[in-house]
Amino acid sequence: MFIVHRSLLIVDLNIAAYIIINLLLFSSWHVILFRHRETLSFADRIIGVFVLGLAQIIATELLLGVVFKRLFAAPLFGVNAAISSAVLIYSAAAFKTQKTRASVLTEVADNVVRFFNILKTNPILLSIFIIFSISICWIIFLGYLFPSYTWDALWYHLPIVGYIMQSGAIREIPNDFIISQFINIFPKNIELFFVWNIIFLKSEVLADLSQLAFTIIGLFTIYSMSLKLQLKEKNAVFAALLFFFAPIIILQSTTNYVDITVSVLFLIAVNFLIKNNPGNIKDRAHEPGGGIPVVLSGLAAGILLGSKGSGPLFIIVLSAAIVIQETIKCLSERKTPAVQKRRGFGASSRLLLIYFATPVLIMGGYWYFKNWALYNNPVYPMEVSIFNITLFKGLYKEFLEPAPAVFKDLSPLKKLLYVWMERDEYYFYDSRRSGFGPLWFILFLPALIFSLIHAAIKKRYGFLAVSAILVCAFLLYPRNWNTRYVIFLFGLGALAYGYILDYSNDKGKALEVIAVLLAGYTALASNSPCVTPSQIKKFLRLPAGERTIARHAPFSIDLHARQEYGHWIWISNNISKGDTLAYTFEPLFLAPLWNSAFSNKVAYIKSDSYNNWLKKLDENNAGYALIRRNSEEDKWIDREREIFSSAGWLGGLKERFKIVYSDENYKIARYEKNED
Amino acid sequence: MKRMKIKGRENTLQILFMLIILVLAVVYFTLPERTLFIENQMKWWGEFWDVFGK
C-alpha cells in the first residue's frame, strides 16, 4: 500500500514539476513582451512567447548537454527556473503601477471575449471553430492514448532523445550502423523539445503531441499575418482556423516528426518580418523597440535552421527577402532628405545582421559548425556542389529514398497536380502522394491565383511580398511535391482564401459554406490507418504502462516488426531505471530498446571473442544482453550454461547468464558480472 | 456609371471564381480513386460505430 502511494506521489511530483516549469518559463516571457504591446499585437506576443520559451529550452539544453554534459531533469529544472524567475522579477519590477500588473491578466480575458464575440456574429465561423475544437480534443486523446508509432520517430527521432537522456550529454555516438551516422549528423533542436516533454514527466506519453503546439501557434501566425496584410478580423479568423484542416497537419500533430514545426517556424519568421502595413519588410528595425520583431524572426529562423537539414534553404530565402527589401528601401531613400539618407544600406544591414543573423546563428548554427568540424562538411553527408564545383564533399548527392514509381515520367507540374488531386486510398502521416486535402485543391489553389492577380493589379505589395517569399521557398525545395515538406504553402493558401473573402465582402457566404463543408469532410476523413477503432478500444482497456508500440502493432510497421514485438514488450515491462541493455545486432528500430521513461541505457556490444565480449559487457555495466537466436553470442551463452550445468555441482562456479526471455528469433539474458 | 461597370466586373469575376471552384470540386470528387478512399473512410467509421456505438 505504502509503495503504491509512494509511486503515485512521485508521478504527481513529476507532473507538478513539468507544469510549474512550463508556467514559469512561458509566463515570464509573456510578462516581458507585455511591455512591448505598442510594437507587438496580442497575437504576435503569443507567438513571441512561444518562440522565446522554445529558444530558452533549446539554449539551456545545449548548454547543459554540450558544455557541462549534465542534461538531467534536476539541473535543467534549476537552470530554467533561475532564468525565468530572473526574467519575471525584472519585467514585473518594471511595471510602475498595480493597474498595469493586473492588465497583463485582464488582457488575455478581454481577447478571449473579443474572439468569441467574432464567432457569435458568424454561425459558419462558429461551426468551423466547433469542428476545430472537437478535432483538437480527439488529437490530444489519441496522442495521450497511443505511444509514438511512426517510422522515423522509432528509427531516429526518439533514439536521439534516448541517447541524450541516457548520457545526459549531446555528443556523437559510435557509427555502428547507417542510422547511427544520421543520428549524429541531423540537427536536433526539435528532439531537444521532445526531451523537454519527456524528462520531467519521466514518460513519453506527451512527447508525440509536441508538434500540436506548433500547429496551434501556426493558427495564431496565419491570423497575425492576415491582420498585417490588412484583412478584416473575421476573415483573418477564417484563414487561421482553416490552416488546421490539412490532413497532413491533423495526422502529424500526434507524431514525433518535425515537418509541421519547420513550416510553422518559417511562417513565424516571415510574420515577424512583416510590418503592419508591409510595403517594406525591414523597416521595423528602425522603429523604437522595432528590433524586437526582427529578433523574434531571427530566433524562429534559427530554431528552424537547427531543426532539419533543409533549414539552410529557408535561411537563404529569408535573407534574400531582407536584402531585396533593403535594396528597394535604399533606392527609394535616395529621393528623401539627407538626414534620412544617413541610415543608408550599410547601417540597416548592420542592424539586420545584429537583429536577424545573430539569433539565427546562436539558435541553429551549432549543428552545422559541429558537422563542419567533424566531417569537413556542414551538411554532411549530403554533397554540396554549385555549377559542377564541389564545395563540400559528402556521401550522397540526392535523396536516398526513391520517389514513387508513378512519378517516373511525370513533369514537375504533373507531379504536383497528381499529389494535390490526391489519388491515394488513405491519408498517411508521411503523405507521399496526398496530404493537403480538398480545401487546397478546390478552394485555396484558385484563391491563391486570383488573389495574386488582384494584388498585382491593386499594388498590394505586402501580400505579393509574403507570397513571393513562400512561393520561392516552395519552388526551391527539393521534392516539393511531398506535402509534408511544404506545409507553409497551405498557410499561403489560407491567407489567399482570407484575401478572397475580403474581396467578396458580403457575397462571400457561398465561399464560407464551401469552406465549412470541406473542413468537416477533412476532419472526418483524416483517420490514420495506423489507429483503428478496435485498437482505440483495446488501448482504453489497457493500463497506462502497457500501452506500448508492440501492443499497438500499427499498420505502418507491423509487417516488418511482428517478430520484434515479443522482446519489445519484455523490455518495456522489465527493464527499469539505470539498467543497461546490451544488443548485439542492428535492430529494426532503436527506440523500443528504451523503456517509456527513457530511463535505461542501451549499448551496442559486439566482439570477435567471448572473453572480449564479456570484458565489454563489464565495461559498459550491462545488466541484460539482447541476442539473436543462433548467433555467435547465443552459442557462447549456451556453451557456458552447458559447462555450468555439468560442472556447477563442484561449487564456486557462478552462472553469468540467465535467460529471462526467449522466442523464435531472440533471447534476452540477464548478465551478472563475474567479480573473479 | 463607372462604379456600375466596376461592380459588374466584380460580379463576373466572382461568378467565374465560383465556377472554377465548382469544376475543381467535381474533378476532385469524381476521381476513380476517390471511391476507394471514401469506402476506406466509411469502413473506419463503420468499425467505430460497431465498437463504440452499439
Side-chain angles (χ1 to χ4, degrees):
Chain A
M1 194 68 173
F2 173 73
I3 293 167
V4 173
H5 280 304
R6 194 164 169 267
S7 61
L8 281 176
L9 181 70
I10 290 168
V11 170
D12 286 347
L13 281 175
N14 293 337
I15 295 170
Y18 180 70
I19 294 172
I20 287 168
I21 195 65
N22 276 295
L23 271 178
L24 190 61
L25 187 139
F26 290 108
S27 62
S28 65
W29 288 117
H30 178 70
V31 174
I32 213 162
L33 284 189
F34 185 78
R35 295 170 60 196
H36 299 279
R37 58 193 179 281
E38 302 300 323
T39 326
L40 296 166
S41 67
F42 180 71
D44 268 359
R45 276 181 281 133
I46 296 287
I47 303 162
V49 165
F50 182 73
V51 170
L52 286 165
L54 189 62
Q56 183 179 322
I57 290 167
I58 292 166
T60 50
E61 288 190 27
L62 277 173
L63 183 75
L64 289 173
V66 176
V67 181
F68 298 106
K69 317 278 184 215
R70 295 282 305 155
L71 179 44
F72 300 113
L76 188 63
F77 187 95
V79 169
N80 278 288
I83 294 172
S84 295
S85 302
V87 170
L88 199 60
I89 291 164
Y90 164 75
S91 46
F95 291 135
K96 289 188 178 100
T97 61
Q98 189 71 33
K99 198 179 159 192
T100 326
R101 272 176 227 148
S103 61
V104 177
L105 297 171
T106 53
E107 190 207 25
V108 178
D110 290 347
N111 275 288
V112 172
V113 170
R114 204 164 57 85
F115 173 72
F116 278 101
N117 282 337
I118 296 169
L119 290 184
K120 264 200 289 186
T121 57
N122 191 315
I124 298 172
L125 197 55
L126 183 65
S127 308
I128 295 179
F129 180 72
I130 291 168
I131 300 169
F132 164 75
S133 304
I134 294 169
S135 303
I136 289 287
C137 292
W138 183 243
I139 284 173
I140 292 172
F141 167 70
L142 291 182
Y144 170 76
L145 194 64
F146 288 93
S148 197
Y149 61 84
T150 50
W151 191 279
D152 288 358
L154 298 170
W155 206 28
Y156 56 83
H157 289 301
L158 289 178
I160 288 172
V161 171
Y163 282 117
I164 291 172
M165 286 186 64
Q166 74 172 22
S167 61
I170 299 168
R171 61 181 172 209
E172 305 297 282
I173 59 165
N175 275 326
D176 297 320
F177 316 113
I178 291 178
I179 195 60
S180 319
Q181 186 180 52
F182 285 98
I183 286 173
N184 279 332
I185 54 97
F186 281 146
K188 300 177 180 66
N189 276 358
I190 299 308
E191 281 78 7
L192 294 181
F193 185 52
F194 298 159
V195 169
W196 178 264
N197 289 325
I198 295 172
I199 202 163
F200 301 114
L201 290 170
K202 310 268 188 284
S203 162
E204 60 161 340
V205 70
L206 287 188
D208 52 0
L209 287 172
S210 301
Q211 282 212 104
L212 181 62
F214 288 90
T215 301
I216 292 167
I217 291 299
L219 266 64
F220 278 97
T221 310
I222 295 295
Y223 170 79
S224 176
M225 288 170 101
S226 304
L227 289 186
K228 286 176 189 170
L229 296 174
Q230 294 177 324
L231 305 188
K232 286 179 193 142
E233 193 167 25
K234 182 202 83 180
N235 298 335
V237 177
F238 255 110
L241 286 175
L242 288 178
F243 176 64
F244 172 77
F245 291 98
I248 185 60
I249 293 181
I250 295 174
L251 286 174
Q252 269 216 11
S253 290
T254 55
T255 67
N256 288 109
Y257 271 45
V258 298
D259 301 307
I260 298 175
T261 303
V262 165
S263 277
V264 167
L265 286 169
F266 182 48
L267 288 170
I268 292 173
V270 175
N271 171 53
F272 279 121
L273 289 178
I274 309 172
K275 206 186 165 194
N276 284 335
N277 184 10
N280 38 77
I281 269 172
K282 51 102 264 340
D283 232 5
R284 310 197 69 150
H286 305 308
E287 299 165 356
I292 291 165
V294 188
V295 170
L296 289 172
S297 176
L299 282 174
I303 298 169
L304 158 58
L305 179 68
S307 300
K308 200 175 169 98
S310 57
L313 185 143
F314 293 101
I315 303 303
I316 291 168
V317 171
L318 286 167
S319 308
I322 293 168
V323 170
I324 290 168
Q325 286 292 330
E326 276 300 310
T327 314
I328 292 169
K329 177 83 197 316
C330 200
L331 291 173
S332 67
E333 272 182 356
R334 282 190 181 175
K335 294 168 192 166
T336 58
V339 180
Q340 286 181 21
K341 249 199 253 182
R342 267 183 228 148
R343 285 203 175 278
F345 188 76
S348 51
S349 294
R350 274 196 297 279
L351 274 172
L352 286 164
L353 198 68
I354 294 164
Y355 289 145
F356 184 78
T358 311
V360 166
L361 285 175
I362 290 172
M363 291 313 303
Y366 168 74
W367 309 109
Y368 297 89
F369 287 122
K370 186 244 336 167
N371 283 351
W372 202 347
L374 294 178
Y375 308 102
N376 297 320
N377 178 348
V379 291
Y380 189 80
M382 301 310 290
E383 188 156 302
V384 183
S385 309
I386 297 175
F387 305 119
N388 286 332
I389 301 165
T390 306
L391 297 178
F392 297 106
K393 270 199 162 185
L395 299 176
Y396 314 107
K397 289 181 180 172
E398 53 188 38
F399 278 85
L400 295 179
E401 200 181 7
V406 71
F407 286 178
K408 201 181 167 195
D409 298 318
L410 295 184
S411 66
L413 186 64
K414 279 185 179 168
K415 280 180 197 165
L416 290 176
L417 280 176
Y418 188 97
V419 172
W420 292 349
M421 286 164 82
E422 310 202 297
R423 291 165 177 272
D424 271 352
E425 61 265 37
Y426 51 80
Y427 289 126
F428 204 54
Y429 57 77
D430 82 346
S431 77
R432 297 203 79 203
R433 296 182 303 182
S434 63
F436 273 176
L439 262 172
W440 170 255
F441 186 71
I442 296 169
L443 211 52
F444 288 2
L445 194 57
L448 181 58
I449 295 165
F450 265 70
S451 57
L452 284 175
I453 295 168
H454 187 265
I457 293 168
K458 297 286 175 185
K459 297 180 179 169
R460 288 181 69 166
Y461 295 124
F463 186 81
L464 289 174
V466 169
S467 303
I469 295 171
L470 298 180
V471 169
C472 261
F474 169 73
L475 292 176
L476 289 173
Y477 205 102
R479 292 204 173 181
N480 58 9
W481 47 263
N482 195 334
T483 51
R484 74 178 168 114
Y485 295 147
V486 290
I487 291 170
F488 58 86
L489 190 70
F490 193 80
L492 178 60
L495 285 175
Y497 173 77
Y499 187 104
I500 292 293
L501 275 189
D502 242 35
Y503 172 76
S504 304
N505 287 321
D506 50 339
K507 288 175 195 153
K509 268 281 177 274
L511 289 177
E512 294 176 4
V513 172
I514 294 169
V516 71
L517 289 175
L518 294 179
Y521 169 86
T522 306
L524 285 174
S526 297
N527 297 305
S528 169
C530 299
V531 177
T532 64
S534 310
Q535 286 168 325
I536 296 171
K537 190 175 184 181
K538 179 182 152 189
F539 265 56
L540 278 171
R541 287 175 175 169
L542 283 175
E546 289 181 24
R547 293 176 193 148
T548 58
I549 182 72
R551 288 190 179 86
H552 180 189
F555 150 87
S556 52
I557 64 164
D558 190 45
L559 203 61
H560 304 270
R562 268 175 210 172
Q563 58 182 9
E564 320 286 321
Y565 292 155
H567 72 270
W568 288 356
I569 289 177
W570 192 91
I571 289 168
S572 65
N573 287 342
N574 297 285
I575 300 283
S576 36
K577 189 178 176 184
D579 288 343
T580 300
L581 174 71
Y583 60 100
T584 53
F585 55 92
E586 181 172 4
L588 175 68
F589 297 119
L590 281 162
L593 303 187
W594 280 278
N595 60 27
S596 68
F598 286 88
S599 61
N600 63 300
K601 295 177 182 177
V602 304
Y604 175 65
I605 299 176
K606 187 91 181 154
S607 187
D608 295 337
S609 73
Y610 181 53
N611 285 336
N612 244 339
W613 187 55
L614 291 180
K615 199 176 152 197
K616 285 185 182 174
L617 288 176
D618 290 343
E619 282 168 5
N620 283 277
N621 207 16
Y624 296 91
L626 169 63
I627 53 175
R628 270 209 170 111
R629 199 175 266 277
N630 299 325
S631 64
E632 202 60 44
E633 294 83 6
D634 188 24
K635 287 171 193 163
W636 289 337
I637 291 174
D638 275 352
R639 210 171 301 146
E640 160 140 339
R641 296 187 73 218
E642 274 168 26
I643 294 168
F644 179 80
S645 61
S646 59
W649 58 273
L650 286 171
L653 279 179
K654 193 179 164 195
E655 194 175 20
R656 264 185 287 225
F657 292 97
K658 190 180 171 194
I659 302 296
V660 287
Y661 171 82
S662 170
D663 66 23
E664 284 177 1
N665 304 294
Y666 302 102
K667 286 180 183 174
I668 297 176
R670 186 201 295 276
Y671 174 68
E672 280 190 29
K673 197 173 174 179
N674 193 340
E675 301 300 336
D676 301 325
Chain B
M1 192 66 181
K2 196 181 173 189
R3 187 178 285 177
M4 277 179 72
K5 209 173 166 184
I6 293 169
K7 204 85 181 153
R9 202 166 57 198
E10 277 180 0
N11 284 341
T12 316
L13 273 174
Q14 273 170 355
I15 291 166
L16 179 67
F17 186 66
M18 290 306 294
L19 273 175
I20 290 172
I21 286 175
L22 205 68
V23 169
L24 290 177
V26 170
V27 169
Y28 182 87
F29 283 108
T30 55
L31 280 173
E33 293 87 350
R34 200 67 60 227
T35 318
L36 191 59
F37 178 88
I38 291 171
E39 255 174 37
N40 281 337
Q41 290 305 319
M42 298 286 278
K43 245 186 243 169
W44 196 97
W45 284 105
E47 191 187 330
F48 188 86
W49 176 250
D50 289 342
V51 171
F52 295 107
K54 284 182 181 172

